[in-house]
Amino acid sequence: LGFGTIEKVVLVFEEGQVFWDTSVDCFGAVPPSAAAKSAARDRGRAFLFWSLVGSHGVPALMAVYSGEAAEALNDMDDAEAAEDALGVLREIFPGKALPEPVHSLVSHWGSDKRARGAYSYVACGSSGDDYDLLAAPVGSRLFFAGEGTSREHPATTTGAYASGIREAIRIHAAAEARFRS
């Protein structure tokens, strides 16, 4: 399996400073700076913005970075990353005076020593069977969960959660079998 990086920048604005259409959950655009460049780094740069107004009741946008743009984001500190996302918004909304965010949050999955990435995918030379191999317990004492062990829902929070339930059931069955013997 492969392991990829996707990063997110959340920009929180003051109440009443929402400048985007809140009737949609997300919007995307190719800003002029990315359209004019051919570098792969620019293609995944804040290509999608999720509005957190409807889902969380917070005047915030979550920018998504992928590919080389996500890797480049990991070289930025949080203030630089927030300014980068705001810069893309300025290109998407030209001529509009955008408010400064009052708070920001930045994921750094790719540079986190314990995570080193964000999601699994079926890479060249691998198959869905690899998810099953990673999910296989070792005896009745070592169990594995996580989205990378979920063939049905890989690369998702749902897959991570469902695999935790799956392993809890396996652990319960193993414990019961041990107590019966």
Side-chain angles (χ1 to χ4, degrees):
L1 293 176
F3 197 50
T5 301
I6 196 162
E7 302 295 352
K8 297 173 184 168
V9 177
V10 177
L11 303 173
V12 182
F13 299 92
E14 285 197 32
E15 289 290 336
Q17 290 192 328
V18 172
F19 55 89
W20 61 93
D21 181 358
T22 59
S23 71
V24 296
D25 291 329
C26 64
F27 60 90
V30 179
S33 65
K37 298 174 185 173
S38 61
R41 175 180 181 220
D42 294 315
R43 282 197 295 268
R45 180 178 169 236
F47 66 94
L48 181 66
F49 286 87
W50 284 93
S51 174
L52 302 183
V53 174
S55 61
H56 293 75
V58 176
L61 288 171
M62 181 176 65
V64 181
Y65 288 70
S66 67
E68 289 182 28
E71 293 171 16
L73 191 80
N74 278 303
D75 293 331
M76 298 179 198
D77 64 31
D78 288 1
E80 290 171 318
E83 184 55 41
D84 188 75
L86 195 58
V88 172
L89 285 169
R90 287 186 187 111
E91 292 183 61
I92 293 172
F93 296 99
K96 195 176 235 184
L98 302 187
E100 288 294 317
V102 293
H103 185 64
S104 63
L105 295 163
V106 182
S107 69
H108 288 286
W109 291 111
S111 59
D112 183 308
K113 288 186 257 182
R114 291 172 188 87
R116 298 186 188 239
Y119 65 95
S120 62
Y121 62 90
V122 179
C124 291
S126 63
S127 75
D129 292 341
D130 294 330
Y131 288 105
D132 298 334
L133 289 171
L134 287 174
V138 176
S140 61
R141 292 188 179 252
L142 187 56
F143 301 87
F144 302 97
E147 61 80 24
T149 70
S150 176
R151 184 180 190 132
E152 293 79 20
H153 303 284
T156 65
T157 303
T158 300
Y161 178 78
S163 71
I165 302 275
R166 178 194 66 219
E167 295 312 306
I169 291 167
R170 285 181 178 170
I171 291 167
H172 178 74
E176 275 191 331
R178 231 174 132 204
F179 289 131
R180 289 187 190 144
S181 60

